[in-house]
Amino acid sequence: MGVFEWVLGDYDRGTGVRSDLDRIDCVDPGDYLAARLPVFALAAGSIAALTGAIDRCLDSVGTAPRGWHLRPDRIAAAFASDRMLRVAGSSVPRFAELSGFFVTTDGWVRTHANYPHHRSRLLAALGLPGDTDRVGLATRVATMTAQDVEDAATAEQAVAARVRSESEWAAHPAGRAAASGDLVTSTSHADAAVFGPASASPDRPLTGVRVLDLTRVIAGPVATRTLALLGAEVLRIDPPTIPEIATTYRDTGQGKRTALLDIRSADGRAILADLIPDADVVVSGYRPGALDDVFAKLPPPPVSARVCAWGCGGPWSQRRGFDSIVQAVSGIALVEGRDGTPGALPAQALDHATGYLLAAGIVDALLAGRRDGLARTVDVSLARTGACLLGAANRTDAPASASVPDTTCLVEHGDLLSARPALGEYADYPFPARPWGEDRPTWE
């Protein structure tokens, strides 16, 4: 069954279906995504889960399933797309000045301050002025314990966390919650659901499906970008007061229309109320419950899909988090580091794998809903994916340096050079990322 058996097994327990591994071919990955932990297995497993869901979708409309060939170079390029990205021939910064690892009096913390509002909150939490640079932040953090930094950041709704070992995370209530439950959770509801048309196209099986995308950064946008690749009409909605990071958006915004809408305003809610009844899928990337008041009086869509950092239950469900933060607190950073200095995976693998698993869960939920007419909620979390990676076999103590895919895995659009889709059967996404927020918040 190959390098991705353990991921598929975990995914299948969550959905009650079995991917047909005979339809999937994957050659030896070599050193792509090489690390102490089996990162390529996680990556290939999430893609294999997606191809299995696509085949089930095709089979349901009488179309023969495809024979999939998982190309390690394409998978590695897609997962490391932020490293591969070039704008006007130059690489782009992956993290802002105040994001990263910092030494404390008793260990390490990792911060995430890529967004301006997160930077402001972090500095406020630590009692620092707004013009503080990395040296100033490091100087301040070096006088504090790691737990004090984490607690101060949490109180200010900033993003910083203490670097923990695997055993510390396994004993932590949030760690135990993250390791429980299925990798992809799909729950049916009594609500009757009206689904968009099913397509018989092997290349675009989701043609006719409408997806409302309320996600940003990586995991959620990867999921909705994948749905667009499969033919869905994806409309991304962003709040006008919180601009997206331009390069991140260009890397994950392919195939989607994009509009700005304040869904908490009266006018915004009215527009949202017009969009929801015609949506087959609504994907959100906010903390659990954050949008409950917005959707309380709206009809549930056929499929509600949610991605978050720490899961829908447990003591950290309301905390903000990103791939880098989950790596830090769960023990992954120390596993991948050296001599007590934390390190990182060769890609934002938790984000990307979680995104593809969410896309697979959505495809399966659409299929199940067409069979029984019930609405469904699909949930994934970065921490659950991280627990899956930590629980996998086949670690190595001395990994090779991760190989870099060649330029055949990249596609050029104007001044942008970005990774092709992870699925080797597709040369590119339907169209490049459109200018952020410049579409109307309506269905085509």
Side-chain angles (χ1 to χ4, degrees):
M1 291 188 182
V3 296
F4 40 77
E5 176 183 14
W6 57 272
V7 176
L8 283 176
D10 208 341
Y11 173 77
D12 292 342
R13 284 195 294 275
T15 61
V17 296
R18 183 70 187 169
S19 296
D20 187 350
L21 297 179
D22 293 335
R23 297 178 184 144
I24 302 170
D25 175 34
C26 185
V27 300
D28 187 335
D31 294 333
Y32 287 121
L33 300 178
R36 287 187 170 85
L37 295 169
V39 178
F40 184 82
L42 175 68
S46 66
I47 300 300
L50 173 64
T51 61
I54 297 170
D55 279 350
R56 289 187 289 276
C57 179
L58 292 172
D59 184 65
S60 72
V61 293
T63 300
R66 302 186 64 159
W68 298 96
H69 173 61
L70 301 189
R71 287 181 49 181
D73 57 343
R74 288 281 291 271
I75 293 172
F79 269 66
S81 60
D82 58 336
R83 297 177 186 267
M84 304 287 290
L85 192 70
R86 297 292 183 271
V87 178
S90 300
S91 60
V92 297
R94 299 174 55 241
F95 291 99
E97 180 189 25
L98 301 189
S99 295
F101 292 108
F102 293 89
V103 176
T104 68
T105 60
D106 61 350
W108 295 82
V109 293
R110 178 139 197 177
T111 63
H112 193 288
N114 284 9
Y115 285 97
H117 62 291
H118 287 156
R119 173 192 168 95
S120 297
R121 290 172 183 172
L122 178 63
L123 294 177
L126 299 177
L128 295 171
D131 61 352
T132 299
D133 61 11
R134 188 175 181 88
V135 173
L137 179 63
T139 301
R140 173 73 176 108
V141 169
T143 68
M144 303 173 66
T145 68
Q147 190 62 55
D148 283 345
V149 174
E150 180 177 288
D151 291 344
T154 301
E156 196 67 30
Q157 299 184 38
V159 186
R162 179 165 68 89
V163 174
R164 291 169 170 81
S165 67
E166 287 183 83
S167 59
E168 287 177 308
W169 183 239
H172 194 285
R176 292 196 297 270
S180 64
D182 296 310
L183 194 56
V184 179
T185 301
S186 184
T187 306
S188 62
H189 307 284
D191 307 285
V194 179
F195 291 82
S199 168
S201 168
D203 290 330
R204 310 292 181 194
L206 297 188
T207 299
V209 171
R210 284 176 165 170
V211 178
L212 190 63
D213 179 4
L214 304 175
T215 71
R216 52 174 44 203
V217 194
I218 298 178
V222 163
T224 53
R225 182 184 65 182
T226 302
L227 301 179
L229 180 70
L230 300 177
E233 177 188 351
V234 180
L235 174 61
R236 172 169 162 162
I237 298 293
D238 279 282
T241 57
I242 307 178
E244 179 59 293
I245 299 169
T247 52
T248 300
Y249 168 73
R250 294 186 71 184
D251 187 33
T252 60
Q254 300 98 316
K256 313 172 193 179
R257 293 168 57 244
T258 163
L260 302 182
L261 186 67
D262 180 3
I263 60 176
R264 296 194 179 280
S265 70
D267 290 344
R269 290 193 185 210
I271 294 173
L272 186 67
D274 288 336
L275 291 171
I276 291 293
D278 292 322
D280 299 287
V281 182
V282 175
V283 188
S284 63
Y286 294 82
R287 288 168 297 134
L291 297 181
D292 285 357
D293 61 326
V294 174
F295 287 96
K297 296 182 180 180
L298 298 176
V303 176
S304 297
R306 304 179 297 192
V307 56
C308 63
W310 308 108
C312 293
W316 280 22
S317 62
Q318 295 303 303
R319 288 199 185 192
R320 291 163 173 80
F322 296 88
D323 182 309
S324 59
I325 299 298
V326 175
Q327 288 189 43
V329 305
S330 65
I332 291 174
L334 289 179
V335 170
E336 297 296 340
R338 291 181 180 276
D339 302 322
T341 299
L345 299 176
Q348 301 283 84
L350 306 185
D351 262 326
H352 286 270
T354 302
Y356 290 115
L357 289 168
L358 181 59
I362 289 169
V363 173
D364 276 328
L366 286 166
L367 176 58
R370 289 192 178 111
R371 288 172 173 165
D372 61 21
L374 298 179
R376 279 173 170 76
T377 297
V378 180
D379 285 301
V380 295
S381 74
L382 303 183
R384 182 64 187 86
T385 302
C388 184
L389 178 60
L390 285 166
N394 300 321
R395 294 189 185 190
T396 179
D397 291 331
S401 297
S403 299
V404 179
D406 63 33
T407 56
T408 62
C409 296
L410 304 177
V411 62
E412 185 176 359
H413 292 289
D415 69 340
L416 185 74
L417 193 65
S418 59
R420 296 184 187 274
L423 294 175
E425 287 71 19
Y426 295 83
D428 197 2
Y429 294 97
F431 50 85
R434 295 168 61 83
W436 183 74
E438 291 192 7
D439 291 301
R440 296 181 59 199
T442 60
W443 297 113
E444 291 184 329

